[in-house]
Every structure is written in C-alpha cells, then in structure tokens.
C-alpha cells in the first residue's frame, strides 16, 4: 500500500512539472524545487555512503577517520544541493518534452507501470550474510545501494526506449526533417513568449531543437546505411538514440523514487499507522500547493482582465 501512495504522490509532482513548465515560470520553479528536495534526500544519503566506504582505508582514531565518520559536512550538503537542482531541472524539462511528444496518457501509463515494477527492487533492503562475512558491512550496504540504482536506471531506460521508439520511428519516417531545415522546424514548434513564461519556455524550445537534431542525425545515419525501407533498422537507430537521451531521465527518476521513499522514512516511523499518516501529510502538502497555485492563477487572471490605461 505504501508504494502505491508514494507512487501517486510522485506522479502528481511529475504531472505538475509537465503542466506548468512553459506556462508559468513561478509554478514551474516551484515544482523544480519540490523535485529537488526529494532528489536531495537520495543524493545526501549516497554521499554519506561514499564517505563510509572511503573510511575503511583510514586508520581508526586518525583525523581522516574522524572526518569521514561524519554523516554530512557543509561542503557535502552544498554539492548535494547543487546536484539535486541540476538533476531536477533536467528531469522537469525531459518530462515536459516527452509529454509533448507522446501525450499525457501514453507517458504516464508507461511511467506508472515502470514505477510500480521497480519500486520494490529500488527500495528493498538487500542483505547477504555471505557478502557481509567477506566484505566490510558498510561497503556491502552502500555497494548494494549503488548497484540497485544503476540497474534500475538501466531497466527503466530500456523500458521507456522500447515503449517510445516505435512511435518515434513512425513519426520520423514520415517527417521531412533534415540538417538543412531542422532549425526552421524547431522555430515553428517553439513556445511563444507570454507574460508568465519568459524563462521556462526557453528550456522547452531547447528540448525541441535537440530533438530535431536527433531526428536529423538519425535520418543521416539511415541514409548512410541505406535503411530507409527497413523499419527494424530505423527502429534500432531511434532506440539507440532514445537510450542515450533518456539516460539522464532514468537516473533522475530512480533517485526521485528513492527520495520519496527516504522522505517517508525520515518523517514517519515504520508502524501500523504509517500509511494513514503518509496520506494525511501528503493531503496537507498538496492542499497548500493547490492553494498557492490557485492564488497565482487568480492573480494572473485579474491582471489579464484589467483594462488598458491607454
């Protein structure tokens, strides 16, 4: 039950990312920060694990051992904060881009299936007596954590690339995009500037440009190997390019999923009432976000409705 609640909350955050980026800069920034908070929970834990792995090489009682024994430092927190903001921005832009390409329903259905399939694998506590006997327990625990993130990101990347490449292949085979006109296509598809999207639209337009470059590159590669009439050959090229493009999204998504689970564990003790308490906190959290969104939208509506003084 817990994984369904946390997955639902994560999907609501992803939906907010997709909806508001390119529409309202302030609300898009809000969802970037919300996403960064959960990513920070995952990243700071990974940094702490890295320090404990390094500690096994230091002599117990030495200043280096004592330094590495600290769970966090100011420098570590700053690095984790900066990294979480970067990954959050990348995740938000990629979510918006994939929703624009695939549509809300295909994208979120695929994400729900992938998220539920990977949740137990990513967040399970894996312990092995054999490993613990032969390897330092701290190394074993952190190594398992890194391995799960790495494998989960690869599996998710493969699932998304497999699901979306068939659609992309059909679109690319019927398009007339090339290196001679991809900039014109990107301009034609770009988001127009409004009073509320002056900055967030830049990221969407950059995504469009990079995606058209991908199409032009794929077509050049297909022409080079004479694969125009070969659906499977074209699909393999698109699949490989999607694997490359979605790698950052897959890694960020897995960290976000761990961040939601880690935040729940930090806020709530494991017990019989955990699920209800998660639901109550989540309801309060999203109610406040909803109130904030309503105020922003109302303010924008009032400003648009004001008569011109001229």
């Amino acid at each position: 039950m817990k994984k369904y609640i946390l997955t639902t909350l994560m999907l609501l955050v992803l939906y907010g990312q997709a909806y508001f980026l390119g529409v309202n800069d302030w609300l898009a920034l809000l969802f970037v920060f919300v996403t960064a908070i959960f990513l920070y929970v995952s990243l700071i834990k990974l940094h702490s694990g890295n320090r404990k792995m390094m500690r096994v090489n230091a002599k117990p009682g030495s200043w280096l051992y004592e330094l590495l024994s600290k769970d966090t430092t100011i420098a570590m927190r700053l690095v984790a904060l900066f990294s979480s903001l970067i990954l959050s921005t990348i995740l938000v832009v990629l979510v918006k881009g994939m929703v624009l390409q695939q549509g809300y329903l295909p994208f979120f259905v695929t994400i729900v299936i992938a998220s539920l399939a990977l949740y137990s694998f990513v967040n399970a506590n894996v312990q092995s007596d054999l490993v613990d006997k032969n390897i330092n327990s701290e190394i074993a625990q952190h190594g398992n954590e890194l391995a799960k993130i790495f494998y989960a990101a690869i599996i998710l990347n493969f699932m998304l690339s497999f699901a979306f490449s068939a659609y992309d292949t059909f679109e690319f085979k019927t398009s007339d995009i090339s290196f001679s006109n991809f900039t014109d296509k990107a301009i034609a598809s770009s988001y127009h500037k409004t009073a509320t999207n002056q900055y967030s639209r830049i990221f969407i337009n950059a995504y469009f440009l990079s995606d058209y470059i991908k199409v032009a590159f794929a077509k050049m590669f297909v022409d080079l190997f004479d694969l125009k009439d070969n659906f499977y050959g074209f699909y393999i090229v698109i699949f490989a390019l999607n694997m490359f493009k979605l790698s950052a999204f897959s890694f960020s998504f897995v960290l976000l999923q761990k961040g939601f689970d880690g935040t729940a564990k930090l806020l709530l003790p494991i017990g019989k009432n955990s699920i209800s308490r998660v639901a109550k906190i989540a309801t309060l959290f999203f109610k406040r976000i909803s109130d904030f969104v309503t105020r922003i939208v109302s303010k924008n509506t009032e400003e648009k409705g004001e008569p011109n003084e001229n």
Side-chain angles (χ1 to χ4, degrees), residues 5-296:
I5 294 176
L6 294 179
T7 298
T8 300
L9 296 178
M10 184 173 63
L11 291 175
L12 289 175
V13 172
L14 293 178
Y15 182 84
Q17 296 172 359
Y19 185 83
F20 288 110
L21 187 67
V23 176
N24 188 292
D25 289 344
W26 288 109
L27 293 177
L29 187 62
L30 171 65
F31 278 96
V32 168
F33 282 136
V34 170
T35 305
I37 290 172
F38 294 108
L39 288 173
Y40 176 84
V41 173
S42 293
L43 290 173
I44 199 67
K45 184 178 180 181
L46 290 179
H47 282 297
S48 179
N50 290 335
R51 290 171 64 87
K52 291 179 179 178
M53 284 186 66
M54 295 172 59
R55 189 177 63 179
V56 300
N57 297 313
K59 183 179 179 180
S62 65
W63 69 270
L64 181 59
Y65 185 90
E66 296 299 326
L67 177 64
L68 296 177
S69 295
K70 297 179 180 179
D71 287 335
T72 60
T73 62
I74 295 178
M76 186 195 304
R77 291 182 181 276
L78 291 175
V79 170
L81 177 62
F82 180 76
S83 301
S84 63
L85 289 172
I86 296 297
L87 288 176
S88 176
T89 302
I90 294 173
L91 183 65
V92 171
V93 173
L94 290 177
V95 167
K96 179 71 174 186
M98 284 188 285
V99 165
L100 289 175
Q101 285 184 315
Q102 311 294 334
Y104 279 94
L105 185 60
F107 173 77
F108 280 103
V109 167
T110 305
I111 287 298
V112 167
I113 295 172
S115 179
L116 293 177
L118 293 174
Y119 184 90
S120 297
F121 172 75
V122 173
N123 296 295
N125 292 322
V126 180
Q127 293 183 344
S128 172
D129 294 335
L130 181 62
V131 172
D132 290 341
K133 289 179 180 178
N134 293 277
I135 305 177
N136 183 281
S137 59
E138 292 173 348
I139 296 179
Q141 183 179 1
H142 187 62
N144 283 331
E145 195 81 7
L146 292 176
K148 286 190 295 182
I149 293 173
F150 178 75
Y151 289 129
I154 291 179
I155 294 171
L156 177 62
N157 197 5
F158 185 87
M159 293 174 65
L160 295 178
S161 299
F162 180 80
F164 296 150
S165 291
Y167 172 83
D168 290 345
T169 298
F170 175 79
E171 289 292 313
F172 296 162
K173 281 179 69 68
T174 57
S175 70
D176 59 347
I177 299 172
S178 65
F179 276 113
S180 63
N181 67 359
F182 74 89
T183 53
D184 296 330
K185 296 287 185 180
I187 292 173
S189 302
S190 63
Y191 267 45
H192 297 294
K193 182 178 179 180
T194 66
T196 58
N197 74 347
Q198 299 181 49
Y199 301 102
S200 59
R201 74 183 185 90
I202 296 174
F203 294 97
I204 302 176
N205 293 339
Y207 179 91
F208 281 137
L209 180 61
S210 65
D211 206 61
Y212 284 127
I213 292 175
K214 182 190 74 175
V215 178
F217 180 79
K219 288 208 165 189
M220 181 192 71
F221 191 85
V222 167
D223 291 339
L224 182 64
F225 290 93
D226 195 22
L227 298 174
K228 288 183 179 180
D229 300 322
N230 188 327
F231 175 84
Y232 296 103
F234 202 91
Y235 178 86
I236 291 173
V237 174
I238 299 302
F239 179 84
L241 291 174
N242 275 336
M243 285 284 288
F244 177 76
K245 182 185 79 171
L246 296 175
S247 58
F249 171 84
S250 300
F251 180 72
S252 301
F253 183 87
V254 172
L255 289 178
L256 180 64
Q257 192 175 50
K258 285 192 67 64
F260 269 87
D261 186 78
T263 303
K265 290 178 180 177
L266 288 173
L267 295 176
L268 303 170
I270 304 300
K272 296 181 179 180
N273 297 324
S274 293
I275 294 177
S276 61
R277 294 175 68 186
V278 168
K280 289 179 181 179
I281 290 178
T283 301
L284 179 61
F285 174 73
F286 282 102
K287 182 180 183 301
R288 292 185 177 179
I289 288 184
S290 177
D291 292 341
F292 178 78
V293 170
T294 302
R295 289 198 300 269
I296 292 292

